[in-house]
Every structure is written in C-alpha cells, then in structure tokens.
Amino acid sequence: MAGSIRESATGDAGAGTATVRAPQLDEGARGVVGVAVHRTAEMAGAPLGLVGKSVSPWAEAWRRFKRHRLAYWSLWILAALVLAVLLGPLLYKVGINDIDFKARLAGPSLTHPLGTDDLGRDLLARMLYGGRISLAVGLSAMLMAITVGVIIGAVAGTARGWVDAALMWVTDLFLSLPQLPLLLLLIFLFREPLKQVFGIEVGIFVLIVLVIGGFRWMPVARLVRAQFFSLREKEFVEAARALGASTSRQVVRHILPNSLGPVIVAATIDVAAAIIAESTLSFLGLGFPPDIPTWGRILFDARDYMDLAMHWAMFPGLAIFVTVLTINFIGDGLRDALDPRKVM
C-alpha cells in the first residue's frame, strides 16, 4: 500500500496548505477489501450486486420475508388455494346442487374426487364454491376491522385528553364483551330483517361481516395508538412540525405510513380469525343456509355422518386448517420482515 502527502507553502505570513491524496491500493489490498465486502454481504443476507446500491424498504422487506421459509412457502400454498377457489368452478363444471342418489355418501373416486354427501352432491364442487364465500368473509371482515381500528387508533394517538380517554374506554368496553354469545344474539336478532332487505345470500354475508368485523377492531386500535404515541415524538415528525406541517399532514405523510408494519401483521391474523368465526357460526347453524355451501356449513351438514362418511367432514376441515395455518405463518414472516430489529 502506497500513499503520498504533498505540501506546498504560500507566501502569505508563513501560511501553508496541505493536499492529502487518498491511499492507492495495490492488487493484494484490493483483493482483501473485495473478500471483506463479499463476506459482509453474505453475513447480511443481501445479494452482492446490491452492495452499495440503494434498496427500497419494500424490496428489503421482501428479501427478509423470503428468508422465512415457512412463511414463503405458505404464501405459495395460499396463493394456489385461492387460485383453485377462484378458477376451479370455471374448470370443474359439476353443479353444487346436482343430485346423484346412486352415489350417496360415496368416497373419493375418479367421478367424485372428494366424494359426495348424503344427497349425492359432489363435495369438490361445493368446496370450491364455498371457499369463495369463506375467503370473502375473512377478507371483508379484516378490511372492516382494520379500517375502524386504524381510524380510532389514529384519532386516539393524535388527540390528547378526554378524546383519547373516551376512545380507549369504548375500546376496553368492547374488549370486555363476550364475543361468541353476542355474535349469536346479533345474528338471531338481525338475520331476518337483513335477508328481507338484501336477499338471503347477500343479507347473511353482510350480517356476518359486520358482526365479525365489529368485534375485531379493538386490538388494531390499541396497536395503532401505541405506534402513534411512539412515532409522534420522533425527530422526523418534530422536523415536519417545525416546518409548519399541519396535524393531518403529519399523520398522513409521516406517522401513519411508518406504523403500517404492525397493522399488516394484525390484518393477517384478523383474516384467519374471521374465517374461523364464520366456520363456527355456520357449524352452529347460524351462518349461511344449506344451499350455500361454505366450509363451515359443509362441516355442519356432515356432523351426523362422521361414522359413515368421514371424508365429508375431513376435507372441509382440512381446507380450514390449511388456510388458517398458512395465513398465520405468513403473519409470522411479515412480523419478522417488517421489524428492523430482527436480524435475518
């Protein structure tokens, strides 16, 4: 390694200037530095081509998510399940209410890949159709819970005094309510009026989404409120406040985007919880009617035939299990990927 320092004196009162050149590395030193950079990239888990380049936060989150193997493969399994539910009825042309009395309670076969029920209806066709409703209920209830929770948590985290206290009192009140008995009571009271207004299928769907989403927003509100309390004291928020940014601009442009990581994780948990809640209500006979075969409704219909046709209850139960398990693994992966303190 060689370097040189060149000094030159000026003629003014003995003042001098010194110009320092960067050290020049020979081939051996450059090789050592190259190996060190490569090892640092390996230890950080980043591709070598990305060293020295700016990477967006979402690209970094995706890279970290892929290193969580269970979450990564769960994402592909869930995507395949969703595609099967969306495209399956277009490819598998058997009707959900087509009756074949000769094949009553038949096991899986080439004609009926997942078997039939007590009326000879094809279980694969009914599960593909019902999967759309179960997933739609989960996603819709999640969107409702996240929307209400983010709004209440943001208002409570931004405001001070009695507004925050009142909103948290309402949140604690909802958290203290027994959810399942109230779900059953609300569905019993409002089922018929909503069916008359929206029709059977849409009315039950709206009721179940409102009831499930209405009891899932409280954890999200508390989470967002805690994030707002932490973020509103950060330097970048204080800088925006010093530059004259309004409260709404601070929330929309600075605080809320930086608090979305935990909210996304909570959203995945809410989807799984909503699917289980819908299946529970349908299994108790308070969900969709018999001609609308959700996964929970198929389980409800199969409860009296466990000893004669195990496949009837096994396949919808397995679908619920796989869906909820993959969503939970994806939530774990997102939690690790969006947490900057987690080393992956």
Side-chain angles (χ1 to χ4, degrees), residues 196-216:
Q196 295 176 1
V197 174
F198 297 102
I200 296 178
E201 185 171 354
V202 178
I204 297 297
F205 179 84
V206 171
L207 177 60
I208 290 178
V209 168
L210 290 177
V211 169
I212 295 176
F215 284 96
R216 294 296 306 173

Side-chain angles (χ1 to χ4, degrees), residues 67-139:
R67 294 179 67 85
H68 195 297
R69 292 301 179 186
L70 280 176
Y72 180 72
W73 289 110
S74 294
L75 179 63
W76 286 107
I77 294 173
L78 182 62
L81 185 62
V82 171
L83 286 177
V85 166
L86 294 178
L87 302 179
L90 302 178
L91 303 176
Y92 192 70
K93 298 296 186 179
V94 179
I96 61 173
N97 291 319
D98 291 349
I99 296 176
D100 183 6
F101 286 112
K102 296 180 180 180
R104 293 177 63 251
L105 300 178
S109 62
L110 293 178
T111 307
H112 303 286
L114 298 185
T116 60
D117 60 8
D118 58 334
L119 297 178
R121 294 174 296 188
D122 188 84
L123 286 180
L124 177 58
R126 294 175 67 80
M127 284 189 57
L128 291 176
Y129 181 87
R132 294 179 174 184
I133 301 176
S134 296
L135 292 176
V137 167
L139 292 174

Side-chain angles (χ1 to χ4, degrees), residues 153-172:
V155 173
T158 304
R160 300 174 186 270
W162 67 270
V163 176
D164 178 31
L167 290 176
M168 287 301 101
W169 181 84
V170 173
T171 302
D172 294 338

